[in-house]
Amino acid sequence: MEQNLTDRPFWKSFWESKKDIIFYIKPDYVFGDILAKLIAEKNIKTAIELGGFPGYYATYLKKYQHLNTTLFDYFIHEGLINQLLEKNGLKPGDINIIEADLFTYQPEKLYDLVLSFGLIEHFNDTKAIIETHLQFLKPGGVLFVTLPNFKGVNGWIQRNFDRDNYDKHNITSMDLKLLSDYCRELGLTEVESYYHGKFTVWLENKSQQGGLVKAFVKTVWLLVKLAKIFPFDNKALSPYIVMKAVK
């Protein structure tokens, strides 16, 4: 199985190109309200964030939900992680860190909550990468996965102005029914998949773009915002897909 649409050099280059990756994470951080509700409903105490360097959600859940959190990734820079922790009033060691290959690692413990944000769409076999998440999950535990929605306006922007980044994504995976069907085939229950978030667009290579492209993308964003069309989560405009399920 050809698994990975990216490699270690890709992620090293990706993070080295990023500016301002160390910041204070606010209480209303994206998906925070959904996670808070899940944690309360399911009495969640432990969580692992897969492929999540530098650990925004492991940090968020430690800081605001007081969970025992772990960050798992095959690219780790502990100096940056410690900077993020300190920026958010935490100290080095407050979150656990595992640097390993997701496909060869044998979990030493199971967790109440397994999360990934923008991970599964970088693999060709969507069902297989979802199943890989489950090896970390306790019976009765919650799987929480998000991915970008590139089947709407934002995807058109990516495809036309950042094709290299677009091609690093498995667009087929961005399908609500497909995701739900895979979860059920894997024996999961309480399955939900839905679009999430108010309209926005972004370019990972924005700093490399000329003024005309930046102006065009900004204009698209403003036109939709000003028109206030589709004031609900939908395929055309919502930037994210959320998938939840119980093992």
Side-chain angles (χ1 to χ4, degrees):
M1 178 181 64
E2 183 186 357
Q3 296 174 329
N4 202 340
L5 293 172
T6 62
D7 53 21
R8 188 181 180 89
F10 169 83
W11 288 113
K12 184 175 185 294
S13 175
F14 176 85
W15 287 111
E16 287 177 348
S17 71
K18 286 288 189 181
K19 297 180 179 179
D20 303 322
I21 65 171
I22 306 302
F23 57 85
Y24 179 78
I25 303 171
K26 296 181 180 179
D28 62 350
Y29 196 47
V30 63
F31 309 120
D33 55 341
I34 305 173
L35 290 169
K37 184 177 180 182
L38 277 176
I39 290 165
E41 288 178 351
K42 301 297 185 179
N43 193 30
I44 290 168
K45 303 297 183 185
T46 62
I48 185 168
E49 179 185 5
L50 302 181
F53 177 82
Y56 296 123
Y57 283 93
T59 300
Y60 175 86
L61 293 173
K62 178 67 176 182
K63 178 178 177 65
Y64 293 109
Q65 296 295 332
H66 312 295
L67 300 188
N68 183 334
T69 61
T70 298
L71 168 64
F72 183 107
D73 209 321
Y74 81 140
F75 175 77
I76 291 290
H77 187 305
E78 287 199 37
L80 290 176
I81 294 171
N82 290 339
Q83 288 180 44
L84 180 66
L85 290 170
E86 291 170 2
K87 185 72 173 180
N88 286 276
L90 300 174
K91 62 183 184 299
D94 276 350
I95 66 172
N96 305 302
I97 299 170
I98 300 173
E99 183 175 15
D101 186 325
L102 188 59
F103 294 97
T104 59
Y105 181 77
Q106 297 296 315
E108 298 177 358
K109 61 177 292 187
L110 301 179
Y111 300 84
D112 300 324
L113 176 64
V114 174
L115 316 97
S116 71
F117 303 85
L119 174 66
I120 70 168
E121 75 277 7
H122 293 293
F123 296 85
N124 283 315
D125 192 331
T126 304
K127 184 177 179 180
I129 186 61
I130 293 172
E131 186 173 23
T132 301
H133 285 55
L134 304 185
Q135 65 181 330
F136 294 90
L137 193 58
K138 290 180 179 178
V142 176
L143 174 67
F144 186 89
V145 170
T146 77
L147 58 160
N149 169 29
F150 281 1
K151 288 193 171 183
V153 175
N154 192 34
W156 184 90
I157 295 289
Q158 304 293 325
R159 188 170 62 252
N160 285 277
F161 298 113
D162 193 356
R163 186 72 196 209
D164 185 60
N165 182 63
Y166 181 86
D167 288 342
K168 298 294 186 183
H169 295 75
N170 176 6
I171 308 303
T172 303
S173 70
M174 301 170 188
D175 182 293
L176 302 188
K177 184 178 184 303
L178 182 79
L179 294 170
S180 293
D181 287 348
Y182 283 159
C183 285
R184 294 189 178 97
E185 289 171 13
L186 290 168
L188 302 178
T189 62
E190 299 181 40
V191 177
E192 294 182 61
S193 296
Y194 55 89
Y195 298 107
H196 176 79
K198 296 179 180 179
F199 174 71
T200 190
V201 294
W202 64 80
L203 284 172
E204 298 293 352
N205 67 350
K206 182 179 178 181
S207 63
Q208 302 168 27
Q209 296 287 356
L212 287 177
V213 171
K214 291 178 181 178
F216 176 76
V217 172
K218 183 68 171 180
T219 299
V220 171
W221 182 85
L222 285 172
L223 285 174
V224 176
K225 289 289 187 181
L226 290 173
K228 295 183 179 179
I229 57 176
F230 304 116
F232 49 86
D233 297 338
N234 65 91
K235 181 177 179 179
L237 300 179
S238 292
Y240 305 112
I241 291 172
V242 171
M243 180 184 77
K244 299 186 292 183
V246 173
K247 186 175 181 182

